[in-house]
């Protein structure tokens, strides 16, 4: 299977939103309640929320297999002005169910790593992400060299929490 990864623009919001409707729900259906998934879909994937994310510095990439959107990723530089290490947060990385197992997730992860390496402002950089403690993607990230550095239960509103590990790795 051949695929390519393109940087997304706000005109791609409907494509990201459409993929999220499938892959986000599929990923969390056995982990979160349906009401929490619905809440999180509106919170993270409404057109307004995605537009705001683009405006706040999130860089989205979309993977295409034979011109069919099959995955997406977003990364953001979250370095505080007083930090000497550039901190990038990988906010999203999802591959559509029918395209999992074709190394598209690996390619998206490598794109995030490449983006961080190219856009760091200092000699040291760190890539960080949150992953639900019960998400099978945990193994994927461990295999890529990410390490669990913290864990927490983060309130997201409406009485819901994200029960995550925070993972990180240095970028040389």
């Amino acid at each position: 299977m051949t695929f390519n990864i393109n940087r997304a623009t706000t005109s791609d919001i409907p494509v990201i939103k459409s993929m999220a409707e499938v892959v986000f729900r599929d990923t969390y259906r056995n982990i979160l309640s349906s009401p929490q998934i619905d809440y999180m879909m509106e919170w993270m994937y409404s057109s307004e929320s995605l537009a705001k994310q683009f405006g706040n510095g999130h860089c989205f990439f979309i993977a295409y297999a034979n011109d069919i959107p099959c995955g997406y990723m977003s990364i953001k530089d979250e370095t505080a002005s007083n930090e000497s290490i550039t901190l990038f947060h990988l906010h999203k990385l999802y591959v559509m169910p029918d395209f999992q197992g074709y190394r598209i997730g690996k390619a998206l992860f490598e794109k995030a790593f490449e983006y961080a390496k190219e856009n760091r402002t200092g000699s040291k950089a760190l890539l960080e992400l949150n992953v639900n403690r019960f998400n099978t993607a945990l193994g994927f990230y461990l295999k890529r060299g990410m390490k669990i550095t913290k864990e927490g239960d983060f309130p997201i509103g409406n009485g819901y929490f994200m029960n995550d590990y925070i993972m990180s790795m240095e970028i040389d």
Side-chain angles (χ1 to χ4, degrees), residues 11 38 117 133 158 167 169:
S11 66
D38 291 342
K117 196 169 188 174
R133 291 193 294 264
N158 233 34
M167 304 181 80
M169 72 185 301

Side-chain angles (χ1 to χ4, degrees), residues 12-22 41-42 45-48 50:
D12 294 307
I13 286 174
V15 174
I16 296 166
K17 189 174 174 180
S18 175
M19 281 192 287
E21 255 323 304
V22 175
M41 285 296 300
E42 180 63 26
Y45 290 108
S46 68
S47 296
E48 297 77 20
L50 287 167

Side-chain angles (χ1 to χ4, degrees), residues 34-44 156-160:
S34 290
Q36 182 169 351
I37 292 171
D38 291 342
Y39 175 81
M40 292 178 77
M41 285 296 300
E42 180 63 26
W43 176 55
M44 292 191 306
I156 59 171
N158 233 34
Y160 297 121

Side-chain angles (χ1 to χ4, degrees), residues 126-140:
L126 191 67
L127 180 63
E128 187 176 83
L129 62 86
N130 289 40
V131 62
N132 183 286
R133 291 193 294 264
F134 303 102
N135 189 334
T136 57
L138 177 61
F140 169 85

Side-chain angles (χ1 to χ4, degrees), residues 1-164:
M1 174 180 298
T2 60
F3 59 90
N4 61 310
I5 299 172
N6 299 332
R7 188 165 177 167
T9 67
T10 54
S11 66
D12 294 307
I13 286 174
V15 174
I16 296 166
K17 189 174 174 180
S18 175
M19 281 192 287
E21 255 323 304
V22 175
V23 71
F24 190 85
R25 290 181 186 284
D26 184 69
T27 300
Y28 294 104
R29 73 175 186 269
N30 295 320
I31 300 172
L32 306 174
S33 69
S34 290
Q36 182 169 351
I37 292 171
D38 291 342
Y39 175 81
M40 292 178 77
M41 285 296 300
E42 180 63 26
W43 176 55
M44 292 191 306
Y45 290 108
S46 68
S47 296
E48 297 77 20
S49 176
L50 287 167
K52 187 175 178 183
Q53 290 170 54
F54 272 97
N56 288 336
H58 288 247
C59 182
F60 283 82
F61 290 88
I62 299 175
Y64 292 88
N66 303 322
D67 298 324
I68 299 168
C70 58
Y72 60 94
M73 175 267 291
S74 84
I75 186 169
K76 182 181 180 199
D77 182 344
E78 295 190 354
T79 309
S81 60
N82 63 342
E83 290 182 23
S84 59
I85 296 176
T86 309
L87 174 63
F88 289 92
H89 197 91
L90 181 59
H91 284 272
K92 299 169 178 56
L93 194 159
Y94 292 95
V95 175
M96 297 292 282
D98 291 346
F99 291 93
Q100 292 176 6
Y102 292 99
R103 305 179 75 74
I104 295 167
K106 180 180 184 229
L108 284 165
F109 183 82
E110 288 171 354
K111 179 59 88 173
F113 192 86
E114 175 187 308
Y115 176 86
K117 196 169 188 174
E118 290 173 358
N119 290 281
R120 67 181 173 199
T121 54
S123 60
K124 288 195 171 201
L126 191 67
L127 180 63
E128 187 176 83
L129 62 86
N130 289 40
V131 62
N132 183 286
R133 291 193 294 264
F134 303 102
N135 189 334
T136 57
L138 177 61
F140 169 85
Y141 293 119
L142 289 169
K143 191 174 180 181
R144 306 270 106 48
M146 302 290 292
K147 304 273 189 254
I148 297 171
T149 55
K150 301 176 205 165
E151 73 176 84
D153 298 313
F154 306 99
I156 59 171
N158 233 34
Y160 297 121
F161 290 83
M162 292 194 331
N163 310 108
D164 292 346

